[in-house]
């Protein structure tokens, strides 16, 4: 464990230019001409607790926080230090009131670095199912496993990155390259997870679109994602708003800057957008070791420092902990701000019922041994039982297999080569069909690409409890399969005329602290091509065999051009990142027990140059990368449509073994859009109040005879009176520009979690009848795209996904009526002047397309004009 964290730790030494800067951004370099990105100040931090659905939780939190001392409050805001407990991070505790160290732990696809867990399919796979129920069920499984292991906060789902950069390393942790797919994926996951009592943490807020240079090092500063207001609202913020609307308990800030202000202390993002406009009621935490300023981050709205360490990890110092105690005692951070931090944290804890029988951690992510040091980060630590090997898998393998299966996306199937028959003569090629020859979980955090690719690498992983490889599953079903688990085509192989070759290839990526085959997280070296000479392997097979099936496990878009049009390549499947049930889910589809029903959660281009230059990876040895989002909303299919570039396979594409017909389309008006802007928001409800007097210094003094663990982060000060002396002196703190303690007027776009509730009024509803017109059972995925009218006065993508549904399995001839709802927000643009969502009155001029991909529309409706089939 230590080496991978240490490499991360070295990268985390914050650049001097941001240290000590109260705003985190370099406002001194700001250029008001608008040529330089600038994040405007937004103070003070809005209080949580003004919404009725959180009222009970806030009431409980209020009572408790009223009775907490300064040290107890600070304890809950600050991690105790990296490696200072079983989880990736844990806060201090409040023994007096029975509040344990709150355990925060990875990952979005399963509990990381433990045993007897499920390694679920990754987010990108979940997105490809387009199945809201499976998204929810997987969330339940994740939550149950987190709870069973004693994880209070499971760090996921991930909706940032959003796939802006096709080579970006962590795109696979999210649900696809579209804000609505991400938003629905996130909301369903959060609802599922939190139904079990585990707190979800939606991440990374925001603009973490490439891995390289995301953090500061001695010579570079983490890059700045410079995103304009409209692009932020209509694209990158969208899934976070859906997550907040789903009552997510916590939000993790990204490593990078936005507009030259570090996300962990960007007041506009946290105070302004997240807590005020989106009405977020939970707590905000840093990404691991992304905390770079004490007072600055507190004022900017941060609520929790993770894992608590300061500039140099493992030294036992922190920007918060004792320094947060000091900054309250010396009057710099209002006690009101600290109270709000703790109230938010405890409100989330109460809301999920974690005060009732929530297990303590019974595993250690630091070791597989049963016994070990309780605080490995301390050189001298008491030991004890750290792993109880609790089996939390239940029947989650069923969900894992269903997700992986229903994600499998059939791109091509000439002459109906698929499904295969059990007695077909099969020759299987590629290491991606087999096991890792060095053993299951043989590389930490999946930082290698050996055997079938089940997930990318980094913190977004979990160990495989077992792995059903494609080889295992095919061997179990087929009576005539011959395996060549190699990436160099064996010249000795004989190809009979009836033989079918199945070639397995893959493309991997991951998190920046591990480099695999020269790729530092991002697909820097591999580009969008198959790894391990996969293209050569397919071409070699196509030279010998007249029937070739290609199976691809990939983190994202992959270029297929070297072989996709070769005559023998009849069928191509993308199996995404399937997790532990890789083999079974694949054979379920290959041999026809199920029709494929996955759809592409991104576009597959002919070549990488089809993308705009502005989404290339940026390398720069010194200084800070300014990553300007000049392409605006034109990401993935939005770009291809705008530039009229034909993709190889469009977003949403996915074939079945059967065919579907769409008929009887009908559009109904549900809530008339009488006004351009939504009706005005309700006023904010009241929030908990506390005395605003600075607590006595003694509350931060070390307890008598305290048995302290070396390098552990505590809330205590050696000489707390020295801090109050500062408060009594005339010394003042250089507050950031725009700092105030007077609340801002409530933003008009807000009003509830996610924003003004009227934004989710269903404006229109489209009904269609989907009929299975083929000869096999299958599931259709009607996708609804909108085209907004020019009358809005803004350049807008010609198609934007706004809704989708997945039918049940329809037998041949069987029909299902599908209803797709469109909200006010779905037909609105973000008005940067008014700072609100603006829709065409009555939806005048809105066009709606329903089809099987962004380019395969089957139904067109025009508001006011009715619908037709195409
Ligand atoms: C970033 O800067 C742009 C102007 O360049 C502005 O529209 C936007 O609101 C800023 N966003 C944040 C979060 O600072
Ligand atoms: C906190 O103190 C108040 C009195 O100030 C008391 O009524 C309440 O029960 C206490 N809450 C807890 C959790 O002890
Ligand atoms: C703060 O947390 C630490 C570690 O869990 C604990 O030992 C200490 O007692 C806590 N302090 C207070 C004041 O509760
Ligand atoms: C109060 O303490 C904080 C934390 O150490 C420090 O950053 C700040 O400068 C202090 N305020 C004053 C006025 O000295
Ligand atoms: C660990 O979890 C198991 C099952 O959820 C539970 O029985 C046990 O008490 C937990 N261990 C601790 C230390 O809470
Ligand atoms: C799931 O695991 C259980 C045992 O825990 C096993 O009985 C069952 O067959 C598995 N289901 C699938 C779909 O693999
Ligand atoms: C394979 O099985 C099918 C029935 O599933 C049968 O019709 C066919 O003749 C068999 N082919 C061979 C070569 O045995
Ligand atoms: C092998 O296939 C049979 C059905 O053909 C199935 O019941 C069994 O679970 C499979 N075993 C494995 C390990 O996949
Ligand atoms: C600062 O003032 C407060 C009351 O205003 C007092 O309680 C405290 O003792 C003073 N601290 C010092 C160090 O003088």
């Amino acid at each position: 464990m230590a080496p991978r964290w240490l490499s991360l730790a070295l990268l985390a030494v914050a650049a001097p230019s941001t240290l000590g800067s109260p705003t985190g951004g370099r406002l001194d370099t700001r250029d008001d001409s608008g040529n330089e990105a600038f994040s405007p100040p937004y103070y003070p931090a809005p209080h949580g607790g003004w919404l009725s659905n959180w009222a009970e939780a806030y009431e409980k939190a209020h009572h408790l926080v009223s009775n907490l001392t300064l040290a107890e409050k600070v304890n809950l805001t600050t991690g105790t230090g990296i490696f200072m407990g079983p989880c990736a991070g844990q806060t201090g505790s409040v023994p007096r009131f029975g509040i344990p160290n709150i355990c925060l732990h990875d990952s979005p696809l399963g509990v990381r670095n433990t045993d007897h867990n499920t390694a679920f399919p990754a987010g990108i796979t979940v997105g490809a199912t387009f199945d809201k129920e499976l998204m929810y069920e997987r969330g339940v499984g994740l939550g149950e496993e987190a709870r069973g292991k004693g994880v209070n906060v499971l760090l996921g789902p991930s909706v940032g990155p959003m796939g802006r950069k096709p080579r970006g390393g962590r795109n696979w942790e999210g649900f696809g390259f579209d804000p609505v797919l991400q938003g629905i994926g996130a909301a369903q996951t959060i609802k599922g997870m939190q139904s079990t009592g585990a707190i979800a943490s939606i991440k990374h807020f925001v603009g973490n679109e490439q891995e390289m240079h995301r953090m500061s090092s001695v010579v570079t500063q983490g890059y700045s994602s410079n995103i304009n207001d409209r692009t932020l609202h209509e694209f990158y913020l969208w899934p976070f708003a859906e997550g907040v609307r789903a009552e997510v308990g916590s939000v993790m800030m990204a490593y990078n800057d936005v507009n030259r202000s570090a996300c962990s202390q960007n007041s506009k993002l946290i105070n302004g957008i997240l807590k005020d406009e989106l009405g977020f009621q939970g707590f905000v935490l840093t990404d691991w070791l992304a905390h770079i300023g004490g007072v600055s981050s507190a004022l900017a709205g941060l609520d929790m420092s993770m894992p608590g360490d300061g500039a140099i990890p493992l030294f036992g110092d922190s920007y918060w902990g004792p320094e947060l105690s000091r900054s309250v005692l010396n009057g710099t951070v209002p006690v009101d701000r600290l109270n709000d931090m703790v109230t938010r944290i405890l409100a989330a804890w109460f809301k999920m019922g974690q005060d009732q029988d929530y297990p303590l951690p019974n595993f250690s992510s630091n070791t597989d041994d049963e016994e070990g040091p309780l605080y490995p980060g301390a050189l001298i630590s008491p030991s004890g039982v750290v792993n109880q090997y609790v089996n939390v898998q239940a029947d989650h393998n069923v969900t894992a297999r269903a997700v992986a299966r229903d994600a499998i996306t059939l791109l091509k199937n000439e002459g109906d080569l698929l499904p295969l028959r059990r007695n077909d003569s099969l020759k299987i090629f590629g290491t991606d069909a087999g096991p890792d020859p060095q053993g299951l979980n043989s590389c930490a955090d999946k930082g290698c690409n050996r055997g079938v690719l089940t997930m990318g690498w980094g913190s977004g992983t979990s160990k495989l409890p077992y792995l059903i490889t494609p080889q295992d599953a095919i061997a179990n079903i087929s009576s005539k399969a011959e395996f060549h688990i190699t990436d160099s085509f064996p010249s000795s192989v004989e190809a009979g005329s009836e033989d079918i070759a199945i070639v397995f290839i893959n493309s991997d990526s991951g998190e920046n602290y591990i480099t695999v085959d020269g790729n530092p997280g991002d697909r820097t070296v591999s580009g969008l091509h198959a790894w391990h000479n996969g293209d050569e392997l397919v071409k070699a097979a196509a030279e010998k065999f007249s029937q070739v099936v290609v199976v691809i496990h990939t983190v994202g878009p992959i270029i297929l051009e070297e072989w996709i049009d070769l005559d023998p390549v009849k069928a191509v499947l993308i199996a995404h990142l399937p997790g532990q049930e890789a083999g079974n889910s694949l054979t379920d589809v290959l041999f026809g027990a199920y029709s494929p029903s996955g759809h592409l959660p991104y576009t597959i281009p002919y070549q990488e140059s089809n993308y705009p230059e502005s989404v290339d990876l940026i390398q720069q040895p010194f200084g800070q990368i300014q990553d300007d989002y000049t392409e605006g909303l034109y990401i993935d299919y939005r770009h291809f449509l705008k530039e009229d570039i034909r993709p190889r396979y469009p977003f949403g594409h996915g074939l079945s073994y059967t065919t579907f017909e769409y008929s009887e389309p009908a559009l109904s008006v549900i809530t008339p859009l009488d006004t351009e802007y939504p009706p005005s928001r309700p006023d904010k409800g009241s929030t908990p109040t506390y005395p605003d007097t600075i607590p006595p210094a003694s509350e931060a003094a070390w307890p008598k005879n305290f048995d302290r663990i070396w390098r552990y982060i505590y809330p205590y000060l050696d000489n707390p009176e020295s801090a109050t002396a500062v408060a009594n002196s005339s010394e003042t703190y250089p507050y950031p520009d725009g700092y105030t303690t007077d609340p801002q007027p409530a933003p008009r776009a807000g009003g509830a979690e996610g924003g003004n509730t009227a934004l989710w009024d269903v404006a229109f509803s489209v009904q269609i009848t989907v009929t299975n017109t083929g000869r096999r059972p299958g599931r259709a995925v009607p996708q609804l795209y909108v085209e907004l009218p020019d009358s809005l006065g803004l350049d807008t993508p010609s198609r934007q996904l706004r809704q989708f549904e997945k039918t049940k399995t329809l037998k041949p001839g069987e029909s299902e009526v599908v209803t797709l709802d469109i909200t006010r927000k779905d037909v609105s643009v973000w008005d940067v002047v008014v700072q609100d969502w603006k829709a065409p009155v009555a939806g005048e001029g809105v066009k709606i397309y329903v089809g099987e991909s962004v380019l395969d529309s089957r139904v067109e409706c025009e508001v006011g004009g009715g619908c037709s089939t195409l």
Side-chain angles (χ1 to χ4, degrees):
M1 174 99 196
R4 61 181 182 266
W5 273 110
L6 284 183
S7 61
L8 175 63
L10 287 175
L11 287 172
V13 180
S17 57
T18 42
L19 272 182
S21 156
T23 56
R26 289 175 302 166
L27 297 186
D28 51 328
T29 63
R30 135 191 174 203
D31 169 0
D32 283 322
S33 68
N35 294 333
E36 283 232 17
F38 160 62
S39 201
Y42 194 105
Y43 299 100
H47 290 171
W50 49 274
L51 284 170
S52 56
N53 53 328
W54 282 74
E56 199 184 317
Y58 266 89
E59 202 173 292
K60 289 179 185 167
H62 182 200
H63 279 216
L64 187 46
V65 175
S66 303
N67 294 340
L68 298 185
T69 64
L70 176 59
E72 287 169 336
K73 290 175 189 173
V74 168
N75 244 7
L76 292 173
T77 66
T78 307
T80 57
I82 196 158
F83 301 131
M84 289 298 182
C87 309
Q90 39 268 309
T91 65
S93 58
V94 183
R96 206 161 58 95
F97 291 107
I99 301 171
N101 306 81
I102 296 170
C103 158
L104 296 94
H105 198 64
D106 301 297
S107 85
L109 62 68
V111 184
R112 177 185 176 203
N113 275 327
T114 186
D115 50 84
H116 301 89
N117 60 289
T118 301
F120 286 96
I124 199 73
T125 315
V126 180
T129 67
F130 282 76
D131 185 323
K132 294 175 183 173
E133 265 172 56
L134 282 178
M135 290 169 172
Y136 178 85
E137 274 171 36
R138 173 173 167 279
V140 172
L142 287 166
E144 285 175 350
E145 298 203 2
R147 182 183 185 118
K149 292 282 182 186
V151 173
N152 299 85
V153 183
L154 188 68
L155 304 172
S158 171
V159 297
M162 281 271 281
R164 172 174 180 249
K165 302 197 178 200
R167 290 189 183 207
R170 297 181 77 181
N171 295 334
W172 57 273
E173 294 186 43
F175 305 97
F177 297 11
D178 175 274
V180 166
L181 185 53
Q182 289 267 20
I184 291 174
Q188 294 299 90
T189 303
I190 290 164
K191 287 178 195 163
M193 278 170 71
Q194 295 193 160
S195 72
T196 70
I199 299 173
S201 193
I202 195 170
K203 62 186 192 174
H204 309 81
F205 190 50
V206 61
N208 189 168
E209 297 288 331
Q210 81 169 37
E211 281 300 287
M212 204 56 196
H213 304 304
R214 63 184 180 159
M215 288 173 100
S216 296
S217 72
V218 189
V219 288
T220 61
Q221 191 180 344
Y223 57 78
S224 178
S225 292
N226 302 324
I227 314 176
N228 73 42
D229 196 28
R230 181 170 172 227
T231 302
L232 183 74
H233 277 85
E234 293 185 28
F235 203 81
Y236 298 95
L237 186 62
W238 189 290
F240 288 96
E242 293 297 323
V244 172
R245 192 171 138 75
E247 307 190 309
V248 71
S250 68
V251 174
M252 185 197 289
M253 302 306 294
Y255 282 115
N256 51 280
D257 290 11
V258 165
N259 290 5
R260 295 174 185 258
S261 173
C263 288
S264 62
Q265 49 183 12
N266 183 314
S267 64
K268 171 71 177 171
L269 281 180
I270 309 177
N271 289 340
I273 292 176
L274 189 56
K275 289 187 174 174
D276 231 355
E277 185 183 319
L278 299 188
F280 174 58
Q281 301 293 307
F283 61 94
V284 176
L285 60 138
T286 61
D287 201 340
W288 261 236
L289 304 171
H291 201 188
I292 60 166
V295 174
S296 49
S297 61
L299 301 181
L302 186 73
D303 303 307
M304 187 185 278
S305 169
M306 273 294 136
D309 304 69
I312 304 173
L314 276 176
F315 275 34
D317 68 340
S318 177
Y319 290 105
W320 282 4
E323 294 311 311
L324 186 55
S325 300
R326 185 192 311 283
S327 63
V328 170
L329 290 176
N330 72 15
T332 292
V333 170
V335 64
D336 167 77
R337 180 70 266 272
L338 177 64
N339 286 334
D340 176 61
M341 293 178 191
V342 185
T343 309
R344 284 174 173 275
I345 292 165
L346 287 176
W349 190 72
F350 280 119
K351 184 158 170 69
M352 311 308 159
Q354 294 197 354
D355 55 324
Q356 312 280 330
D357 300 327
Y358 203 86
L360 295 172
N362 47 38
F363 75 104
S364 169
S365 61
N366 305 308
T367 176
D368 296 337
D369 297 340
E370 186 171 359
E371 291 188 25
L374 301 179
Y375 313 100
L379 287 188
I380 309 145
S381 163
S383 287
V385 172
V386 288
N387 277 308
Q388 295 178 29
Y389 308 110
V390 178
N391 189 324
V392 293
Q393 296 165 336
D395 59 355
H396 302 153
N397 57 350
V398 177
T399 306
R401 180 171 177 170
V403 171
R405 170 210 304 141
D406 285 8
I408 290 175
T409 308
L410 180 64
L411 298 181
K412 172 175 179 176
N413 191 21
E414 265 173 36
D416 290 340
L417 178 60
L418 297 181
L420 303 170
R421 292 165 303 184
R422 284 165 181 258
N423 60 5
D424 280 333
S425 169
L426 306 176
K427 301 259 162 70
I428 289 98
F429 301 93
T431 57
D432 183 69
D436 177 347
Q438 297 183 32
L440 198 65
N441 304 310
S442 66
C443 46
D445 290 339
K446 297 284 173 296
C448 62
N449 182 358
R450 291 193 295 255
V452 57
L453 185 71
T454 57
M455 60 188 82
W457 73 80
S459 65
T461 56
S462 73
K463 286 189 189 168
L464 293 160
Y466 63 83
L467 171 61
I468 310 290
T469 65
Q471 181 181 12
D472 297 335
I474 293 171
N476 185 41
I477 283 187
S478 165
S479 52
K480 284 195 224 155
E482 185 182 304
F483 294 93
H484 301 275
I485 303 299
T486 163
D487 294 323
S488 341
F489 192 78
S491 51
S492 57
V493 168
E494 296 295 328
S497 62
E498 297 293 303
D499 284 354
I500 299 172
I502 311 181
V503 185
F504 284 79
I505 63 174
N506 72 35
S507 175
D508 201 358
S509 75
E511 192 173 358
N512 185 235
Y513 66 92
I514 303 173
T515 295
V516 180
D517 294 10
N519 296 283
D522 304 315
R523 290 190 278 176
T524 309
V525 174
S526 69
L528 305 187
H529 294 281
W531 287 38
H532 306 154
N533 294 317
D535 288 336
E536 300 308 314
L537 189 64
V538 179
K539 284 191 285 186
E543 248 171 52
K544 277 226 167 139
F545 291 82
S546 58
Q547 305 180 97
V548 176
V549 177
V550 182
V551 176
I552 307 171
H553 292 106
T554 179
V555 290
I558 179 166
I559 308 288
L560 313 171
E561 295 314 309
E562 286 196 35
W563 45 262
I564 184 92
D565 282 333
L566 296 177
D567 187 58
V569 177
K570 305 291 184 206
V572 179
L573 289 165
I574 295 208
H576 307 281
L577 302 173
Q580 68 192 30
E581 289 286 340
N584 289 331
S585 57
L586 182 70
T587 50
D588 280 348
V589 169
L590 275 182
F591 292 92
Y594 293 80
S595 275
S597 64
H599 288 253
L600 283 177
Y602 44 72
T603 299
I604 293 188
Y606 279 92
Q607 59 223 12
E608 205 176 344
S609 59
N610 289 161
Y611 295 105
E613 254 175 58
S614 60
V615 304
D616 287 351
L617 297 176
I618 303 182
Q619 296 284 2
Q620 183 181 302
F622 303 106
Q624 185 179 40
I625 290 169
Q626 297 302 318
D627 192 355
D628 298 330
Y629 285 37
T630 50
E631 72 292 329
L633 301 170
Y634 295 95
I635 296 298
D636 201 74
Y637 66 85
R638 289 161 168 82
H639 162 78
F640 284 77
L641 287 165
K642 181 178 192 218
E643 299 299 329
D644 201 16
I645 299 167
R646 198 157 63 94
R648 170 51 80 169
Y649 292 108
F651 178 94
H653 174 72
L655 303 172
S656 168
Y657 295 151
T658 187
T659 51
F660 301 100
E661 188 185 272
Y662 290 28
S663 61
E664 298 167 58
L667 174 76
S668 346
V669 176
I670 310 292
T671 308
L673 298 176
D674 293 334
T675 52
E676 271 184 306
Y677 298 99
S680 49
R681 60 168 287 167
D683 289 336
K684 275 186 175 182
S686 64
T687 57
T689 54
Y690 303 95
D692 59 5
T693 44
I694 294 179
S698 57
E699 289 193 4
W702 285 95
K704 295 223 164 48
N705 304 322
F706 190 74
D707 199 5
R708 136 179 214 189
I709 298 151
W710 193 46
R711 304 203 293 198
Y712 196 89
I713 298 167
Y714 292 102
Y716 310 117
L717 290 166
D718 289 338
N719 181 6
E721 282 74 23
S722 65
T724 53
V726 173
N728 294 353
S729 77
S730 59
E731 250 180 275
T732 54
Y733 184 80
Y735 285 104
D737 279 357
Y739 180 68
T740 171
T741 53
D742 297 332
Q744 300 286 330
R748 60 178 280 171
E753 281 173 295
N756 189 332
T757 49
L759 294 171
W760 284 275
D761 284 348
V762 175
F764 308 103
S765 180
V766 174
Q767 271 197 351
I768 44 162
T769 301
V770 180
T771 305
N772 182 345
T773 49
R775 289 194 308 268
R776 290 176 157 274
R779 302 179 72 190
V781 176
Q783 306 155 35
L784 184 150
Y785 298 85
V786 299
E787 181 179 6
L788 301 181
D790 294 340
S791 60
L792 287 167
L794 290 172
D795 190 20
T796 296
S798 60
R799 296 282 187 286
Q800 303 200 73
L801 181 72
R802 286 298 186 243
Q803 192 50 273
F804 57 82
E805 291 294 342
K806 192 162 191 168
T807 65
K808 65 176 190 192
T809 300
L810 296 174
K811 295 189 205 82
E814 196 181 358
S815 297
E816 182 174 324
V817 176
V818 177
T819 302
L820 298 147
D821 288 338
I822 306 158
T823 66
R824 173 184 270 276
K825 192 178 177 189
D826 289 336
V827 295
S828 295
V829 291
W830 176 249
D831 184 329
V832 299
V833 177
V834 178
Q835 290 287 295
D836 206 349
W837 294 92
K838 177 183 168 186
V841 173
E844 183 75 40
V846 171
K847 286 188 183 155
I848 295 159
Y849 304 88
V850 183
E852 300 251 293
S853 83
V854 68
L855 294 185
D856 182 9
S857 300
R858 306 294 182 85
V859 161
E860 180 179 345
C861 304
E862 198 166 340
V863 171
C867 300
S868 53
T869 50
L870 300 171

